Amino acid sequence: MDMKRRTVFSDKVRLIYLQLPYFTKEADDCKNVFERIIYVLKHMDILQRMPWMAQDAVFKKLSEIAEVASLSQEDRRRYDESLRHYRDTIVVMEGQFLQGEEKGRAEGRAEGLIETARKMKSDGMELPLIMKYTGLSADEIEGI
């Protein structure tokens, strides 16, 4: 803007001046993308002392944040919806994995009890003792 005439110099150029010393928020206090970017810019000296891999990770994450922040409102809505769907899918898959893992453990324990009961029976142990130590019913032990 031409400050003397108070007229816009160009509607194509937008300049924003930031005074980083006045930005006093800590990393945990940054609530939005803009504040996080300003925080990173202010603390670039820390980033320069980080190992290369860590620097790359930070700049990659910063790039991802900037890409998402620059999306149109409709694209951002679709991105958020897609991200929610992805996260829901991961949670469902992890739940199924845990259920399968638990089912496998239960089957393994049952097989182990049956094998233990079989050995106890072959060693001539009495039925009430086998029932006591394995938790199996008399019918289950007789079926072995």
Side-chain angles (χ1 to χ4, degrees):
M1 176 177 232
D2 182 337
M3 296 305 287
K4 289 181 183 176
R5 297 184 195 155
R6 302 262 184 218
T7 57
V8 175
F9 175 72
S10 172
D11 62 350
K12 307 284 188 261
V13 178
R14 181 174 169 196
L15 300 176
I16 299 173
Y17 293 95
L18 301 172
Q19 294 180 328
L20 295 179
Y22 292 114
F23 185 81
T24 58
K25 290 187 176 186
E26 293 300 321
D28 294 336
D29 298 329
C30 295
K31 302 293 183 213
N32 57 46
V33 174
F34 178 74
E35 289 177 352
R36 290 183 192 117
I37 291 172
I38 301 305
Y39 178 84
V40 169
L41 290 174
K42 181 176 180 180
H43 296 91
M44 287 297 245
D45 62 324
I46 295 169
L47 295 176
Q48 290 174 354
R49 287 182 266 145
M50 295 171 73
W52 286 108
M53 293 299 286
Q55 282 182 10
D56 289 346
V58 168
F59 286 113
K60 181 179 178 190
K61 185 64 176 174
L62 186 57
S63 173
E64 290 170 2
I65 290 169
E67 285 178 19
V68 171
S70 67
L71 293 174
S72 69
Q73 191 172 12
E74 178 60 24
D75 287 342
R76 179 63 187 260
R77 186 193 61 75
R78 283 193 300 241
Y79 171 81
D80 289 342
E81 186 178 307
S82 173
L83 188 58
R84 251 189 317 280
H85 177 72
Y86 169 77
R87 289 177 177 160
D88 289 347
T89 301
I90 295 297
V91 167
V92 168
M93 289 174 66
E94 286 176 352
Q96 291 296 315
F97 175 80
L98 292 174
Q99 284 178 352
E101 196 175 49
E102 184 57 36
K103 183 180 176 187
R105 282 192 189 119
E107 289 173 0
R109 282 192 290 270
E111 289 175 10
L113 285 176
I114 291 171
E115 184 59 32
T116 300
R118 181 178 285 121
K119 289 178 182 177
M120 293 169 90
K121 188 176 176 183
S122 69
D123 285 348
M125 211 172 214
E126 305 253 340
L127 183 63
L129 283 176
I130 298 173
M131 290 172 56
K132 177 181 176 183
Y133 293 119
T134 63
L136 297 173
S137 69
D139 292 338
E140 290 171 320
I141 296 169
E142 292 297 329
I144 296 175

